[in-house]
């Protein structure tokens, strides 16, 4: 630690003594409520856009992920708009969403081993959120990969235990806790919050300012829609963060699908492999194919 007589500074003196600064972005004034469900296919379709939006503009808002309770049980459940009255009806709907979004969806489990309720994975999310903060969104991502892409029933305890174990947590303990009344109470709080926000479908994103006034967006929309909504509640012109390098993104995410990379880096599907090869070190990644889509995983 050096003290300079001319600058009057103890410490680094290699910058201007008087500078303009903007601390507004340090204090996040906005809140983004993301109301979702682990088995919401349109939420899975939204992943590429939502990930980019958060990475570029997340410095403006705090994120609150809210479980919406899409499927309590099949007794009396019906989604007339999508022609869903029984589990097997979901398979065709999921297939359509997968083809349209190019976020791969298998969905054949709805014929062979249907999910009976989305509450079990939702309660696991709430337990992790309450006791292992910072791991809950990773759980939600891995659960969605499991059910949509790899056709695993995330309503089953053994599947949930395995996913939680992969997070470095004790899956058996977490899943057991998710079966207690306290976990259902946490989920009920989310369901009440979703109702108070006027949410009627998933995904729903609500952006509000410090006065709790803002914009509600239902359904999976374009990146521009969310940026415009954020700008609508902001008094200042938005300044997006730089995107992470592909190597850093893959290190954090572990697995990324073609559509996610296309949206993140504004590249064409036909240019994907060339882009990956130019950005990543040889032998640091593996390319895979599933459901006619490419995905990349890290070898680290």
């Amino acid at each position: 630690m050096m003290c300079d007589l001319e600058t009057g500074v103890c410490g680094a003196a290699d910058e201007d003594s008087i500078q303009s600064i903007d601390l507004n972005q340090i204090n996040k004034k906005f809140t983004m409520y993301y109301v979702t469900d682990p088995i919401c296919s349109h939420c899975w379709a939204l992943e590429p856009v939502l990930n980019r939006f958060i990475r570029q503009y997340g410095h403006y808002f705090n994120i609150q992920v809210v479980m919406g309770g899409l499927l309590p049980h099949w007794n009396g459940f019906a989604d007339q708009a999508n022609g869903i009255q029984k589990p097997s009806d979901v398979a065709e709907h999921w297939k359509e969403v997968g083809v349209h979004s190019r976020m791969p969806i298998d969905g054949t489990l709805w014929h062979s081993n249907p999910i009976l309720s989305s509450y079990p994975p939702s309660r696991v999310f709430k337990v992790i959120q309450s006791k292992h903060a910072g791991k809950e969104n990773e759980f939600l991502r891995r659960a969605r990969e499991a059910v949509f892409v790899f056709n695993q029933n995330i309503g089953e305890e053994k599947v949930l235990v395995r996913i939680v174990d992969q997070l470095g947590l004790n899956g058996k303990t977490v899943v057991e806790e998710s079966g207690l009344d306290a976990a259902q109470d946490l989920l009920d709080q989310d369901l009440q919050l979703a109702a108070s926000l006027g949410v009627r479908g998933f995904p729903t994103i609500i952006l509000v300012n410090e006065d709790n006034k803002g914009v509600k967006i239902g359904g999976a929309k374009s990146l521009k829609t969310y940026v415009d909504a954020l700008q609508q509640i902001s008094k200042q012109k938005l300044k997006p963060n730089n995107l992470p390098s592909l190597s850093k993104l893959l290190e954090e995410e572990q697995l990324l699908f073609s559509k996610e990379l296309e949206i993140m880096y504004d590249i064409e599907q036909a240019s994907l492999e060339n882009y990956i090869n130019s950005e990543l070190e040889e032998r640091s990644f593996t390319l895979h194919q599933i459901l006619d889509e490419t995905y990349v995983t890290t070898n680290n």
Side-chain angles (χ1 to χ4, degrees):
M1 182 69 71
M2 299 295 292
C3 295
D4 191 293
L5 293 176
E6 293 186 7
T7 63
V9 173
C10 286
D14 56 353
E15 58 183 15
D16 294 338
S17 58
I18 301 176
Q19 305 173 57
S20 296
I21 63 171
D22 183 357
L23 300 180
N24 286 324
Q25 293 183 9
I26 295 176
N27 298 314
K28 300 183 181 183
K29 295 183 177 181
F30 308 138
T31 299
M32 185 182 90
Y33 296 98
Y34 174 37
V35 188
T36 184
D37 188 274
I39 66 169
C40 165
S41 57
H42 287 292
C43 300
W44 176 241
L46 180 60
E47 290 265 306
V49 166
L50 186 58
N51 194 6
R52 177 164 175 177
F53 178 60
I54 291 172
R55 287 185 177 276
Q56 285 201 288
Y57 298 93
H59 51 292
Y60 287 105
F61 51 81
N62 295 302
I63 304 170
Q64 184 168 345
V65 179
V66 181
M67 293 291 103
L70 177 59
L71 179 64
H73 46 70
W74 279 100
N75 184 23
F77 177 86
D79 180 355
Q80 301 293 347
N82 290 302
I84 297 172
Q85 294 182 309
K86 58 185 182 298
S88 59
D89 294 335
V90 182
E92 186 62 28
H93 173 64
W94 274 23
K95 181 179 179 180
E96 292 174 354
V97 175
V99 170
H100 179 75
S101 68
R102 288 194 41 242
M103 283 294 281
I105 299 178
D106 186 315
T108 54
L109 85 165
W110 288 107
H111 294 293
S112 58
N113 184 25
I115 299 165
L116 301 180
S117 172
S118 66
Y119 278 29
S122 297
R123 287 194 296 263
V124 170
F125 176 91
K126 294 304 298 181
V127 169
I128 295 175
Q129 186 183 54
S130 65
K131 295 193 173 183
H132 307 281
K135 288 283 190 178
E136 66 273 20
N137 291 330
E138 185 180 358
F139 164 76
L140 185 58
R141 170 65 187 214
R142 300 296 167 238
R144 283 178 169 156
E145 291 172 357
V147 68
F148 290 114
V149 185
F150 302 112
N151 214 39
Q152 299 172 13
N153 188 333
I154 59 171
E156 296 180 342
E157 288 189 2
K158 62 182 180 181
V159 174
L160 292 170
V161 168
R162 184 167 61 248
I163 294 171
V164 177
D165 281 342
Q166 292 170 353
L167 306 181
L169 304 176
N170 188 317
K172 186 174 184 295
T173 299
V174 169
V175 173
E176 285 178 351
E177 291 179 354
S178 73
L180 301 177
D181 289 343
Q184 184 61 46
D185 290 342
L186 291 173
L187 178 56
D188 287 341
Q189 291 173 21
D190 269 20
L191 302 182
Q192 292 166 12
L193 175 57
S196 71
L197 292 170
V199 173
R200 297 175 58 84
F202 316 118
T204 294
I205 286 180
I206 299 172
L207 291 159
V208 296
N209 59 21
E210 57 270 35
D211 298 321
N212 271 333
K213 296 180 179 179
V215 182
K216 180 167 68 175
I217 306 163
K221 306 300 182 184
S222 67
L223 176 64
K224 184 178 184 301
T225 299
Y226 300 110
V227 175
D228 287 348
L230 182 60
Q231 184 63 76
Q232 185 175 329
I233 67 170
S234 177
K235 297 177 182 178
Q236 298 180 339
K237 183 175 177 57
L238 301 177
K239 297 179 181 179
N241 280 336
N242 293 329
L243 292 171
S245 66
L246 178 54
S247 59
K248 179 174 175 58
L249 182 67
L250 186 59
E251 180 183 352
E252 294 177 4
E253 301 289 346
Q254 300 295 305
L255 184 158
L256 290 162
F257 293 96
S258 176
K259 188 65 175 182
E260 295 182 288
L261 298 179
E262 294 165 36
I263 294 292
M264 184 67 71
Y265 298 111
D266 294 319
I267 57 177
E268 297 294 328
Q269 183 182 6
S271 304
L272 178 69
E273 290 194 26
N274 287 338
Y275 182 80
I276 291 173
N277 288 322
S278 68
E279 293 291 321
L280 299 178
E281 294 183 5
E282 189 177 2
R283 298 190 182 88
S284 69
F285 67 94
T286 301
L287 289 177
H288 312 261
Q289 288 285 325
I290 193 167
L291 302 170
D292 298 323
E293 288 292 339
T294 299
Y295 69 97
V296 58
T297 58
T298 178
N299 291 340
N300 298 332

